[in-house]
Amino acid sequence: MNKRWEYSGFGIPDDFFVRGKAPMTKEEVRAVVLSKLRLKEDHIFVDVGAGTGSVSIEAALKLSRGKVYAIEYKEEALSLLEVNAKAFGVENLEVLKGRAEEELKKIKGFDRIFVGGSGGEIHWILDYALEHLSKEGRIVITAVTLETLTEGFKALKKKEYKDVEVVSVGVSKGRSTGNYTLMEAQNNIYVLSATKN
């Protein structure tokens, strides 16, 4: 099934993606992540811990003259990523199967990087990104736990990234129950962003 997205705004609805049990950056958080990345159509973009590919695919749709590398090592997520990429018809997305520390070395330079899952390699990823991001390159990291938030925030400051920012994204969605609508809170997500110094 082809799922073309005809709009220019960020935040493709979640139900456009085949999800399974793999992690996925939800549409409202994805819209914030993509806005913090500040993409241009010719950028080279890397998605570490790509999961179902929702961020990779939405970025690929924006990068008409650019390229997306989606790094993932979990088998179920890899299958879903490829299914979703095919459904959206993106041709500028390359899936790299493996851990970040192995796969990032295959990419010598890039303009933007998103870390949706680091697999415990966050410090290595930040060091590699600092060395290989283009001038004024951007990094965005999402964190679900306070521990990941603290570690990521401290690491960005210590490694001398600039414009380090953290945003807490709390989303509640309406759920119908009879004649009423209840607001159900989703997990709070922290979005860290910074620029190469």
Side-chain angles (χ1 to χ4, degrees):
M1 178 182 6
N2 193 324
K3 298 181 180 181
R4 298 282 181 194
W5 184 246
E6 301 173 2
Y7 306 99
S8 61
F10 292 126
I12 295 172
D14 291 340
D15 59 8
F16 273 54
F17 297 92
V18 178
R19 183 175 178 195
K21 294 180 181 176
M24 182 173 81
T25 303
K26 304 287 185 14
E27 64 188 273
E28 295 83 5
V29 175
R30 193 177 337 116
V32 173
V33 165
L34 289 161
S35 72
K36 295 297 181 186
L37 284 164
R38 301 174 189 162
L39 298 171
K40 291 183 180 176
E41 63 181 13
D42 61 347
H43 275 159
I44 304 300
F45 170 66
V46 180
D47 182 358
V48 177
T52 59
S54 64
V55 172
S56 292
I57 289 163
E58 195 152 350
L61 293 170
K62 301 296 179 199
L63 302 178
S64 58
R65 296 186 293 119
K67 173 114 179 172
V68 175
Y69 294 95
I71 298 174
E72 181 56 64
Y73 71 93
K74 295 177 182 172
E75 286 301 322
E76 182 184 7
L78 284 164
S79 298
L80 291 168
L81 202 163
E82 292 184 4
V83 165
N84 284 320
K86 186 174 181 182
F88 280 91
V90 291
E91 297 177 0
N92 57 341
L93 189 155
E94 182 177 339
V95 177
L96 300 177
K97 302 173 183 181
R99 308 281 303 194
E101 196 165 345
E102 303 160 4
E103 301 305 317
L104 264 174
K105 291 175 184 172
K106 297 175 181 176
I107 310 165
K108 299 305 176 194
F110 43 91
D111 303 292
R112 301 292 188 264
I113 183 168
F114 169 60
V115 184
S118 67
E121 299 174 347
I122 191 67
H123 291 281
W124 186 91
I125 293 167
L126 290 177
D127 286 336
Y128 192 87
L130 197 55
E131 188 177 339
H132 293 85
L133 272 167
S134 60
K135 184 180 179 184
E136 297 296 309
R138 298 271 298 162
I139 183 167
V140 175
I141 304 165
T142 51
V144 179
T145 67
L146 291 173
E147 290 78 10
T148 304
L149 167 65
T150 303
E151 186 176 6
F153 189 73
K154 284 181 178 177
L156 286 169
K157 291 275 196 180
K158 185 178 180 182
K159 296 176 191 301
E160 298 182 4
Y161 283 87
K162 67 178 183 177
D163 305 324
V164 178
E165 180 186 36
V166 60
V167 174
S168 174
V169 181
V171 175
S172 293
K173 288 194 167 187
R175 179 178 59 86
S176 293
T177 135
N179 295 327
Y180 300 97
T181 302
L182 295 175
M183 295 305 292
E184 289 189 334
Q186 310 294 306
N187 285 340
N188 213 54
I189 307 293
Y190 304 99
V191 180
L192 290 157
S193 59
T195 305
K196 179 177 178 175
N197 200 348

